[in-house]
Amino acid sequence: MIREAIAGSVARKIDHAYIPVQSVASDHYVLSARLSSFAAYYEQGPDAAPIIRIAAQVELSRSKESEPLAVTRIVLDRTASANSVSSIVEAFDRASLEMADKIASWTAAVIN
């Protein structure tokens, strides 16, 4: 889900970007995102709407180079509208798309 969201956001924000399915052609940018959190936290108690937290370490490099061009950590907290399955799923969806947009914007800023 996150991979598709990131690919879609990158495609919308960076017109000269290409997200390969499997292999990387020579001398292209390589974007990697490692999620360290993708969870609902009930910090206000078990009956309150949870906080959706997505955290990722994002790295941009060139396929021919071993050192990254840039690295960042993005943390996104969003509170669900209610403590119900549908509200929590919706909050995860919105947070995932927002995270993907943040990653795409950061990537565009590094490339440009």
Side-chain angles (χ1 to χ4, degrees):
M1 180 170 94
I2 291 287
R3 184 188 183 330
E4 288 82 17
I6 293 170
S9 290
V10 168
R12 284 190 306 277
K13 293 185 181 289
I14 309 168
D15 61 355
H16 54 278
Y18 169 69
I19 308 291
V21 174
Q22 294 230 339
S23 64
V24 176
S26 63
D27 201 31
H28 282 76
Y29 290 105
V30 177
L31 177 66
S32 68
R34 292 182 237 10
L35 295 178
S36 57
S37 179
F38 189 82
Y41 294 90
Y42 290 83
E43 296 175 355
Q44 303 299 316
D47 296 326
I51 295 171
I52 305 307
R53 180 168 297 133
I54 303 176
Q57 171 96 8
V58 185
E59 184 177 296
L60 185 68
S61 60
R62 286 278 198 179
S63 60
K64 289 186 175 182
E65 299 173 14
S66 60
E67 292 297 316
L69 297 171
V71 177
T72 192
R73 178 168 163 75
I74 301 172
V75 179
L76 182 71
D77 284 353
R78 294 296 173 261
T79 303
S81 61
N83 188 11
S84 66
V85 172
S86 61
S87 295
I88 294 168
V89 168
E90 180 185 341
F92 269 110
D93 287 345
R94 283 184 289 120
S96 296
L97 292 173
E98 190 174 341
M99 174 60 87
D101 283 346
K102 286 184 176 292
I103 291 171
S105 294
W106 174 82
T107 304
V110 172
I111 290 173
N112 297 323

